[in-house]
Structures are given as structure tokens and as C-alpha cells.
Amino acid sequence: MHEEVRKYANEKDVKGLKYIFVDALDVDPTFKKYQEDFDYCRQKGLFEPHCELSAMTSNTSSWDMTYWKTLKRNLLENFSEKRLNHMREVAKVIYADKIRRSQEVKTNVQPSKVEPNIQVPPSESVSVSPLPKGELAKKEAERVEKEKAELEEKNRRIREQEAEQKRQTAMRGGTTARKAYSSKKSKGTVPASALLAGVGVAVAVILYLILRK
């Protein structure tokens, strides 16, 4: 029995039961999966008194999908045992192919063959023994150490590259500063020899003027 049906039935939730049974025959046209659920609801007295909504016909030539959909709509409005039993008969007709295929599948399913128990001679048997736990732990530790060493080597190379880039940048900055200083000096600084020559000329002029007096 479906637990969901049991739950709705115990709670007297007729609306919930309607939505389960309205699709039950689409799922299983034979209704075998829902027979126990049906009996349980009937014992609980959960079916509603039958109310004629759309006329139900016994003429099987009128049993098509349009008629089927009408029955389903009416079941949602009036959850009667009479209507559901009629739907069970209609489902056998409109879902005849589905029922036939299901039965064919069950018939064609063969029991699995039991392979004979073949004894392998000891000389031909192959034994694959798993590694001891200690060996597994050792191999795992070696793998972790290897990965750790590779990571450290990678980080070391990155640090070296960064240091080299900083050194190259510093060297380029020092060269630029020296060039700027040399250019400034050549443009705005008077050589010492020129200054001395100027002083000598000034002294000679002053002595000449004093002796002339």
C-alpha cells in the first residue's frame, strides 16, 4: 500500500485522495498497484455518494481519450466508488496496448543463468593481495611530501623572479638619476678654472689703477 494514500485516508483528506486516484489508472491501467489502496479507502468509508455529472456509457465504442478525460474531471468533482470502478473498465480498453506490452515484458523476462562453479587449479590461480596499511600510508606520505617540495620550488622561483625584477627596476632608476644629474651640472655649473681666471683678471685691473695714480 502507498504510504501517501494511507496518510490521506487516516486524515480523511478526500481531496488528496482524488489527486492520487485520478492518475492511478494512467500509471497502472491494471490497477493492481492501487487495489490495496482502493480497498483501504472503501473500508474507511471515504468514497462520496455517486453524483451523475456527465453520463457514463457502457458502449465501448465511445470509450476514447476524450471520454477518459471527462471521467477524470468528474472524479475530481465527485469521488464516487461507482465512477472509479467504471474508469477501471474503460482503462482496460483505452490502454489495452500498454497492458499487453507490460505483460509481454514480464513473460519474456528469463531468470538469470547460474554460472557453474569452476574450480581454478592452484597453479593457475592469481592472487592479488592489497598493500598493507603501513605501505599505503607510506606511499601517501611520499606523495604529499613530493607535492609539498614541488610547491616550495615553484614559490622559490617566483620569489627569485620578483627579486630580479625589483633589481632591474632599481638599476634603471639609478641610471636615469645619474643622467639627469650630469645634464643639470653641464647646463648650470661654471668650471673652477674659469672662476680662477676671472679673479686673476680682476686683480690685475685693480693693481693697474693703483699704480697709475
PDB file of all heavy atoms in Angstrom, residues 167-203:
ATOM      1  N   ARG A 167      65.392  44.369  -8.833  1.00  0.00           N
ATOM      2  CA  ARG A 167      66.767  44.802  -9.025  1.00  0.00           C
ATOM      3  C   ARG A 167      66.929  45.528 -10.356  1.00  0.00           C
ATOM      4  O   ARG A 167      67.568  46.575 -10.434  1.00  0.00           O
ATOM      5  CB  ARG A 167      67.699  43.577  -8.977  1.00  0.00           C
ATOM      6  CG  ARG A 167      69.190  43.923  -8.981  1.00  0.00           C
ATOM      7  CD  ARG A 167      70.025  42.659  -8.888  1.00  0.00           C
ATOM      8  NE  ARG A 167      69.899  41.856 -10.099  1.00  0.00           N
ATOM      9  CZ  ARG A 167      70.589  42.102 -11.223  1.00  0.00           C
ATOM     10  NH1 ARG A 167      71.440  43.135 -11.281  1.00  0.00           N
ATOM     11  NH2 ARG A 167      70.446  41.343 -12.276  1.00  0.00           N
ATOM     12  N   GLN A 168      66.292  44.969 -11.405  1.00  0.00           N
ATOM     13  CA  GLN A 168      66.355  45.616 -12.710  1.00  0.00           C
ATOM     14  C   GLN A 168      65.691  46.982 -12.685  1.00  0.00           C
ATOM     15  O   GLN A 168      66.194  47.947 -13.270  1.00  0.00           O
ATOM     16  CB  GLN A 168      65.658  44.722 -13.761  1.00  0.00           C
ATOM     17  CG  GLN A 168      66.367  43.405 -14.028  1.00  0.00           C
ATOM     18  CD  GLN A 168      67.702  43.598 -14.736  1.00  0.00           C
ATOM     19  OE1 GLN A 168      67.952  44.648 -15.327  1.00  0.00           O
ATOM     20  NE2 GLN A 168      68.570  42.598 -14.635  1.00  0.00           N
ATOM     21  N   THR A 169      64.595  47.085 -11.966  1.00  0.00           N
ATOM     22  CA  THR A 169      63.904  48.376 -11.867  1.00  0.00           C
ATOM     23  C   THR A 169      64.754  49.390 -11.137  1.00  0.00           C
ATOM     24  O   THR A 169      64.836  50.565 -11.513  1.00  0.00           O
ATOM     25  CB  THR A 169      62.568  48.193 -11.127  1.00  0.00           C
ATOM     26  OG1 THR A 169      61.771  47.244 -11.839  1.00  0.00           O
ATOM     27  CG2 THR A 169      61.803  49.503 -11.038  1.00  0.00           C
ATOM     28  N   ALA A 170      65.423  48.940 -10.044  1.00  0.00           N
ATOM     29  CA  ALA A 170      66.278  49.844  -9.273  1.00  0.00           C
ATOM     30  C   ALA A 170      67.462  50.316 -10.115  1.00  0.00           C
ATOM     31  O   ALA A 170      67.856  51.488 -10.065  1.00  0.00           O
ATOM     32  CB  ALA A 170      66.770  49.145  -8.014  1.00  0.00           C
ATOM     33  N   MET A 171      68.055  49.424 -10.901  1.00  0.00           N
ATOM     34  CA  MET A 171      69.191  49.789 -11.744  1.00  0.00           C
ATOM     35  C   MET A 171      68.778  50.801 -12.802  1.00  0.00           C
ATOM     36  O   MET A 171      69.479  51.784 -13.054  1.00  0.00           O
ATOM     37  CB  MET A 171      69.758  48.538 -12.417  1.00  0.00           C
ATOM     38  CG  MET A 171      70.471  47.593 -11.454  1.00  0.00           C
ATOM     39  SD  MET A 171      71.091  46.099 -12.292  1.00  0.00           S
ATOM     40  CE  MET A 171      72.253  46.857 -13.433  1.00  0.00           C
ATOM     41  N   ARG A 172      67.595  50.599 -13.391  1.00  0.00           N
ATOM     42  CA  ARG A 172      67.123  51.551 -14.397  1.00  0.00           C
ATOM     43  C   ARG A 172      66.865  52.912 -13.764  1.00  0.00           C
ATOM     44  O   ARG A 172      67.155  53.965 -14.333  1.00  0.00           O
ATOM     45  CB  ARG A 172      65.857  51.012 -15.062  1.00  0.00           C
ATOM     46  CG  ARG A 172      66.115  49.862 -16.014  1.00  0.00           C
ATOM     47  CD  ARG A 172      64.893  49.615 -16.892  1.00  0.00           C
ATOM     48  NE  ARG A 172      63.753  49.150 -16.099  1.00  0.00           N
ATOM     49  CZ  ARG A 172      63.492  47.876 -15.871  1.00  0.00           C
ATOM     50  NH1 ARG A 172      64.300  46.936 -16.357  1.00  0.00           N
ATOM     51  NH2 ARG A 172      62.452  47.533 -15.160  1.00  0.00           N
ATOM     52  N   GLY A 173      66.355  52.902 -12.517  1.00  0.00           N
ATOM     53  CA  GLY A 173      66.110  54.169 -11.829  1.00  0.00           C
ATOM     54  C   GLY A 173      67.396  54.897 -11.505  1.00  0.00           C
ATOM     55  O   GLY A 173      67.495  56.124 -11.623  1.00  0.00           O
ATOM     56  N   GLY A 174      68.467  54.186 -11.077  1.00  0.00           N
ATOM     57  CA  GLY A 174      69.756  54.814 -10.757  1.00  0.00           C
ATOM     58  C   GLY A 174      70.404  55.414 -11.989  1.00  0.00           C
ATOM     59  O   GLY A 174      70.960  56.517 -11.945  1.00  0.00           O
ATOM     60  N   THR A 175      70.336  54.714 -13.098  1.00  0.00           N
ATOM     61  CA  THR A 175      70.924  55.227 -14.356  1.00  0.00           C
ATOM     62  C   THR A 175      70.225  56.496 -14.791  1.00  0.00           C
ATOM     63  O   THR A 175      70.859  57.484 -15.198  1.00  0.00           O
ATOM     64  CB  THR A 175      70.798  54.163 -15.448  1.00  0.00           C
ATOM     65  OG1 THR A 175      71.455  52.974 -15.018  1.00  0.00           O
ATOM     66  CG2 THR A 175      71.417  54.657 -16.741  1.00  0.00           C
ATOM     67  N   THR A 176      68.926  56.532 -14.674  1.00  0.00           N
ATOM     68  CA  THR A 176      68.160  57.725 -15.060  1.00  0.00           C
ATOM     69  C   THR A 176      68.532  58.914 -14.189  1.00  0.00           C
ATOM     70  O   THR A 176      68.677  60.050 -14.656  1.00  0.00           O
ATOM     71  CB  THR A 176      66.660  57.429 -14.944  1.00  0.00           C
ATOM     72  OG1 THR A 176      66.338  56.317 -15.767  1.00  0.00           O
ATOM     73  CG2 THR A 176      65.840  58.623 -15.384  1.00  0.00           C
ATOM     74  N   ALA A 177      68.717  58.658 -12.866  1.00  0.00           N
ATOM     75  CA  ALA A 177      69.067  59.745 -11.942  1.00  0.00           C
ATOM     76  C   ALA A 177      70.445  60.299 -12.265  1.00  0.00           C
ATOM     77  O   ALA A 177      70.664  61.521 -12.234  1.00  0.00           O
ATOM     78  CB  ALA A 177      69.016  59.229 -10.500  1.00  0.00           C
ATOM     79  N   ARG A 178      71.429  59.441 -12.586  1.00  0.00           N
ATOM     80  CA  ARG A 178      72.770  59.910 -12.907  1.00  0.00           C
ATOM     81  C   ARG A 178      72.783  60.740 -14.180  1.00  0.00           C
ATOM     82  O   ARG A 178      73.461  61.764 -14.276  1.00  0.00           O
ATOM     83  CB  ARG A 178      73.717  58.716 -13.046  1.00  0.00           C
ATOM     84  CG  ARG A 178      74.072  58.064 -11.705  1.00  0.00           C
ATOM     85  CD  ARG A 178      75.260  57.127 -11.853  1.00  0.00           C
ATOM     86  NE  ARG A 178      74.963  56.035 -12.756  1.00  0.00           N
ATOM     87  CZ  ARG A 178      74.405  54.892 -12.358  1.00  0.00           C
ATOM     88  NH1 ARG A 178      74.078  54.705 -11.099  1.00  0.00           N
ATOM     89  NH2 ARG A 178      74.172  53.927 -13.244  1.00  0.00           N
ATOM     90  N   LYS A 179      72.021  60.319 -15.158  1.00  0.00           N
ATOM     91  CA  LYS A 179      71.953  61.084 -16.398  1.00  0.00           C
ATOM     92  C   LYS A 179      71.350  62.459 -16.169  1.00  0.00           C
ATOM     93  O   LYS A 179      71.810  63.472 -16.712  1.00  0.00           O
ATOM     94  CB  LYS A 179      71.125  60.320 -17.428  1.00  0.00           C
ATOM     95  CG  LYS A 179      71.822  59.092 -17.990  1.00  0.00           C
ATOM     96  CD  LYS A 179      70.949  58.418 -19.018  1.00  0.00           C
ATOM     97  CE  LYS A 179      71.642  57.195 -19.608  1.00  0.00           C
ATOM     98  NZ  LYS A 179      70.778  56.512 -20.613  1.00  0.00           N
ATOM     99  N   ALA A 180      70.322  62.516 -15.348  1.00  0.00           N
ATOM    100  CA  ALA A 180      69.684  63.800 -15.063  1.00  0.00           C
ATOM    101  C   ALA A 180      70.644  64.735 -14.337  1.00  0.00           C
ATOM    102  O   ALA A 180      70.719  65.939 -14.602  1.00  0.00           O
ATOM    103  CB  ALA A 180      68.417  63.569 -14.223  1.00  0.00           C
ATOM    104  N   TYR A 181      71.430  64.176 -13.367  1.00  0.00           N
ATOM    105  CA  TYR A 181      72.379  64.991 -12.611  1.00  0.00           C
ATOM    106  C   TYR A 181      73.471  65.526 -13.522  1.00  0.00           C
ATOM    107  O   TYR A 181      73.844  66.700 -13.458  1.00  0.00           O
ATOM    108  CB  TYR A 181      72.985  64.139 -11.487  1.00  0.00           C
ATOM    109  CG  TYR A 181      74.071  64.851 -10.712  1.00  0.00           C
ATOM    110  CD1 TYR A 181      73.742  65.835  -9.778  1.00  0.00           C
ATOM    111  CD2 TYR A 181      75.406  64.548 -10.942  1.00  0.00           C
ATOM    112  CE1 TYR A 181      74.737  66.494  -9.079  1.00  0.00           C
ATOM    113  CE2 TYR A 181      76.407  65.218 -10.252  1.00  0.00           C
ATOM    114  CZ  TYR A 181      76.066  66.188  -9.301  1.00  0.00           C
ATOM    115  OH  TYR A 181      77.050  66.851  -8.619  1.00  0.00           O
ATOM    116  N   SER A 182      73.970  64.686 -14.423  1.00  0.00           N
ATOM    117  CA  SER A 182      75.039  65.112 -15.331  1.00  0.00           C
ATOM    118  C   SER A 182      74.552  66.204 -16.267  1.00  0.00           C
ATOM    119  O   SER A 182      75.248  67.187 -16.542  1.00  0.00           O
ATOM    120  CB  SER A 182      75.532  63.918 -16.142  1.00  0.00           C
ATOM    121  OG  SER A 182      76.073  62.933 -15.278  1.00  0.00           O
ATOM    122  N   SER A 183      73.330  66.063 -16.728  1.00  0.00           N
ATOM    123  CA  SER A 183      72.772  67.065 -17.629  1.00  0.00           C
ATOM    124  C   SER A 183      72.600  68.399 -16.936  1.00  0.00           C
ATOM    125  O   SER A 183      72.910  69.468 -17.464  1.00  0.00           O
ATOM    126  CB  SER A 183      71.427  66.564 -18.159  1.00  0.00           C
ATOM    127  OG  SER A 183      70.819  67.537 -18.970  1.00  0.00           O
ATOM    128  N   LYS A 184      72.146  68.368 -15.684  1.00  0.00           N
ATOM    129  CA  LYS A 184      71.950  69.588 -14.908  1.00  0.00           C
ATOM    130  C   LYS A 184      73.274  70.265 -14.631  1.00  0.00           C
ATOM    131  O   LYS A 184      73.420  71.496 -14.697  1.00  0.00           O
ATOM    132  CB  LYS A 184      71.232  69.229 -13.597  1.00  0.00           C
ATOM    133  CG  LYS A 184      70.949  70.429 -12.713  1.00  0.00           C
ATOM    134  CD  LYS A 184      70.199  69.995 -11.477  1.00  0.00           C
ATOM    135  CE  LYS A 184      69.933  71.194 -10.580  1.00  0.00           C
ATOM    136  NZ  LYS A 184      69.214  70.804  -9.339  1.00  0.00           N
ATOM    137  N   LYS A 185      74.283  69.460 -14.317  1.00  0.00           N
ATOM    138  CA  LYS A 185      75.598  70.006 -13.988  1.00  0.00           C
ATOM    139  C   LYS A 185      76.221  70.682 -15.194  1.00  0.00           C
ATOM    140  O   LYS A 185      76.819  71.754 -15.106  1.00  0.00           O
ATOM    141  CB  LYS A 185      76.502  68.872 -13.489  1.00  0.00           C
ATOM    142  CG  LYS A 185      77.908  69.332 -13.084  1.00  0.00           C
ATOM    143  CD  LYS A 185      78.697  68.152 -12.549  1.00  0.00           C
ATOM    144  CE  LYS A 185      80.117  68.609 -12.166  1.00  0.00           C
ATOM    145  NZ  LYS A 185      80.933  67.491 -11.657  1.00  0.00           N
ATOM    146  N   SER A 186      76.056  70.061 -16.372  1.00  0.00           N
ATOM    147  CA  SER A 186      76.674  70.616 -17.586  1.00  0.00           C
ATOM    148  C   SER A 186      76.001  71.907 -18.004  1.00  0.00           C
ATOM    149  O   SER A 186      76.614  72.775 -18.607  1.00  0.00           O
ATOM    150  CB  SER A 186      76.594  69.593 -18.714  1.00  0.00           C
ATOM    151  OG  SER A 186      75.224  69.302 -19.000  1.00  0.00           O
ATOM    152  N   LYS A 187      74.719  72.072 -17.634  1.00  0.00           N
ATOM    153  CA  LYS A 187      73.983  73.270 -18.048  1.00  0.00           C
ATOM    154  C   LYS A 187      74.139  74.421 -17.053  1.00  0.00           C
ATOM    155  O   LYS A 187      74.228  75.585 -17.427  1.00  0.00           O
ATOM    156  CB  LYS A 187      72.499  72.929 -18.198  1.00  0.00           C
ATOM    157  CG  LYS A 187      72.225  72.030 -19.379  1.00  0.00           C
ATOM    158  CD  LYS A 187      70.744  71.750 -19.478  1.00  0.00           C
ATOM    159  CE  LYS A 187      70.444  70.861 -20.668  1.00  0.00           C
ATOM    160  NZ  LYS A 187      69.017  70.593 -20.780  1.00  0.00           N
ATOM    161  N   GLY A 188      74.202  74.181 -15.790  1.00  0.00           N
ATOM    162  CA  GLY A 188      74.132  75.277 -14.810  1.00  0.00           C
ATOM    163  C   GLY A 188      75.350  75.441 -13.946  1.00  0.00           C
ATOM    164  O   GLY A 188      75.373  76.306 -13.070  1.00  0.00           O
ATOM    165  N   THR A 189      76.471  74.748 -14.098  1.00  0.00           N
ATOM    166  CA  THR A 189      77.640  74.828 -13.224  1.00  0.00           C
ATOM    167  C   THR A 189      78.842  75.370 -13.993  1.00  0.00           C
ATOM    168  O   THR A 189      79.160  74.885 -15.072  1.00  0.00           O
ATOM    169  CB  THR A 189      77.986  73.435 -12.656  1.00  0.00           C
ATOM    170  OG1 THR A 189      76.822  72.920 -12.004  1.00  0.00           O
ATOM    171  CG2 THR A 189      79.115  73.537 -11.668  1.00  0.00           C
ATOM    172  N   VAL A 190      79.562  76.409 -13.426  1.00  0.00           N
ATOM    173  CA  VAL A 190      80.753  77.020 -14.055  1.00  0.00           C
ATOM    174  C   VAL A 190      81.987  76.284 -13.585  1.00  0.00           C
ATOM    175  O   VAL A 190      82.169  76.097 -12.382  1.00  0.00           O
ATOM    176  CB  VAL A 190      80.876  78.505 -13.685  1.00  0.00           C
ATOM    177  CG1 VAL A 190      82.108  79.123 -14.331  1.00  0.00           C
ATOM    178  CG2 VAL A 190      79.610  79.234 -14.117  1.00  0.00           C
ATOM    179  N   PRO A 191      82.911  75.877 -14.483  1.00  0.00           N
ATOM    180  CA  PRO A 191      84.117  75.154 -14.071  1.00  0.00           C
ATOM    181  C   PRO A 191      84.991  76.007 -13.169  1.00  0.00           C
ATOM    182  O   PRO A 191      85.021  77.239 -13.265  1.00  0.00           O
ATOM    183  CB  PRO A 191      84.807  74.835 -15.389  1.00  0.00           C
ATOM    184  CG  PRO A 191      83.723  74.908 -16.409  1.00  0.00           C
ATOM    185  CD  PRO A 191      82.777  75.955 -15.930  1.00  0.00           C
ATOM    186  N   ALA A 192      85.782  75.376 -12.273  1.00  0.00           N
ATOM    187  CA  ALA A 192      86.649  76.095 -11.316  1.00  0.00           C
ATOM    188  C   ALA A 192      87.734  76.863 -12.033  1.00  0.00           C
ATOM    189  O   ALA A 192      88.115  77.970 -11.614  1.00  0.00           O
ATOM    190  CB  ALA A 192      87.252  75.084 -10.340  1.00  0.00           C
ATOM    191  N   SER A 193      88.292  76.354 -13.113  1.00  0.00           N
ATOM    192  CA  SER A 193      89.365  77.056 -13.837  1.00  0.00           C
ATOM    193  C   SER A 193      88.882  78.379 -14.402  1.00  0.00           C
ATOM    194  O   SER A 193      89.605  79.383 -14.412  1.00  0.00           O
ATOM    195  CB  SER A 193      89.888  76.148 -14.951  1.00  0.00           C
ATOM    196  OG  SER A 193      88.814  75.800 -15.837  1.00  0.00           O
ATOM    197  N   ALA A 194      87.652  78.414 -14.853  1.00  0.00           N
ATOM    198  CA  ALA A 194      87.101  79.663 -15.386  1.00  0.00           C
ATOM    199  C   ALA A 194      86.954  80.695 -14.290  1.00  0.00           C
ATOM    200  O   ALA A 194      87.191  81.889 -14.478  1.00  0.00           O
ATOM    201  CB  ALA A 194      85.751  79.372 -16.041  1.00  0.00           C
ATOM    202  N   LEU A 195      86.548  80.230 -13.085  1.00  0.00           N
ATOM    203  CA  LEU A 195      86.404  81.163 -11.960  1.00  0.00           C
ATOM    204  C   LEU A 195      87.755  81.767 -11.579  1.00  0.00           C
ATOM    205  O   LEU A 195      87.887  82.985 -11.303  1.00  0.00           O
ATOM    206  CB  LEU A 195      85.789  80.435 -10.765  1.00  0.00           C
ATOM    207  CG  LEU A 195      84.299  80.057 -10.911  1.00  0.00           C
ATOM    208  CD1 LEU A 195      83.860  79.216  -9.711  1.00  0.00           C
ATOM    209  CD2 LEU A 195      83.433  81.320 -10.993  1.00  0.00           C
ATOM    210  N   LEU A 196      88.816  80.970 -11.527  1.00  0.00           N
ATOM    211  CA  LEU A 196      90.143  81.469 -11.155  1.00  0.00           C
ATOM    212  C   LEU A 196      90.673  82.476 -12.173  1.00  0.00           C
ATOM    213  O   LEU A 196      91.293  83.500 -11.827  1.00  0.00           O
ATOM    214  CB  LEU A 196      91.112  80.296 -11.025  1.00  0.00           C
ATOM    215  CG  LEU A 196      90.843  79.339  -9.842  1.00  0.00           C
ATOM    216  CD1 LEU A 196      91.789  78.146  -9.892  1.00  0.00           C
ATOM    217  CD2 LEU A 196      91.030  80.092  -8.514  1.00  0.00           C
ATOM    218  N   ALA A 197      90.431  82.174 -13.441  1.00  0.00           N
ATOM    219  CA  ALA A 197      90.874  83.111 -14.477  1.00  0.00           C
ATOM    220  C   ALA A 197      90.187  84.451 -14.339  1.00  0.00           C
ATOM    221  O   ALA A 197      90.793  85.534 -14.493  1.00  0.00           O
ATOM    222  CB  ALA A 197      90.607  82.501 -15.850  1.00  0.00           C
ATOM    223  N   GLY A 198      88.945  84.455 -13.994  1.00  0.00           N
ATOM    224  CA  GLY A 198      88.198  85.714 -13.823  1.00  0.00           C
ATOM    225  C   GLY A 198      88.719  86.523 -12.670  1.00  0.00           C
ATOM    226  O   GLY A 198      88.824  87.756 -12.725  1.00  0.00           O
ATOM    227  N   VAL A 199      89.043  85.834 -11.571  1.00  0.00           N
ATOM    228  CA  VAL A 199      89.579  86.534 -10.383  1.00  0.00           C
ATOM    229  C   VAL A 199      90.925  87.170 -10.694  1.00  0.00           C
ATOM    230  O   VAL A 199      91.243  88.304 -10.278  1.00  0.00           O
ATOM    231  CB  VAL A 199      89.676  85.542  -9.205  1.00  0.00           C
ATOM    232  CG1 VAL A 199      90.414  86.193  -8.038  1.00  0.00           C
ATOM    233  CG2 VAL A 199      88.285  85.070  -8.778  1.00  0.00           C
ATOM    234  N   GLY A 200      91.786  86.442 -11.448  1.00  0.00           N
ATOM    235  CA  GLY A 200      93.110  86.966 -11.795  1.00  0.00           C
ATOM    236  C   GLY A 200      93.019  88.247 -12.619  1.00  0.00           C
ATOM    237  O   GLY A 200      93.762  89.218 -12.404  1.00  0.00           O
ATOM    238  N   VAL A 201      92.127  88.279 -13.551  1.00  0.00           N
ATOM    239  CA  VAL A 201      91.936  89.467 -14.399  1.00  0.00           C
ATOM    240  C   VAL A 201      91.485  90.657 -13.550  1.00  0.00           C
ATOM    241  O   VAL A 201      91.952  91.801 -13.711  1.00  0.00           O
ATOM    242  CB  VAL A 201      90.928  89.169 -15.511  1.00  0.00           C
ATOM    243  CG1 VAL A 201      90.562  90.457 -16.266  1.00  0.00           C
ATOM    244  CG2 VAL A 201      91.491  88.129 -16.471  1.00  0.00           C
ATOM    245  N   ALA A 202      90.586  90.399 -12.611  1.00  0.00           N
ATOM    246  CA  ALA A 202      90.077  91.480 -11.754  1.00  0.00           C
ATOM    247  C   ALA A 202      91.191  92.058 -10.906  1.00  0.00           C
ATOM    248  O   ALA A 202      91.306  93.278 -10.723  1.00  0.00           O
ATOM    249  CB  ALA A 202      88.939  90.937 -10.879  1.00  0.00           C
ATOM    250  N   VAL A 203      92.060  91.203 -10.365  1.00  0.00           N
ATOM    251  CA  VAL A 203      93.174  91.675  -9.518  1.00  0.00           C
ATOM    252  C   VAL A 203      94.150  92.509 -10.346  1.00  0.00           C
ATOM    253  O   VAL A 203      94.658  93.555  -9.921  1.00  0.00           O
ATOM    254  CB  VAL A 203      93.888  90.478  -8.865  1.00  0.00           C
ATOM    255  CG1 VAL A 203      95.163  90.946  -8.174  1.00  0.00           C
ATOM    256  CG2 VAL A 203      92.954  89.792  -7.875  1.00  0.00           C
TER     257      VAL A 203
END
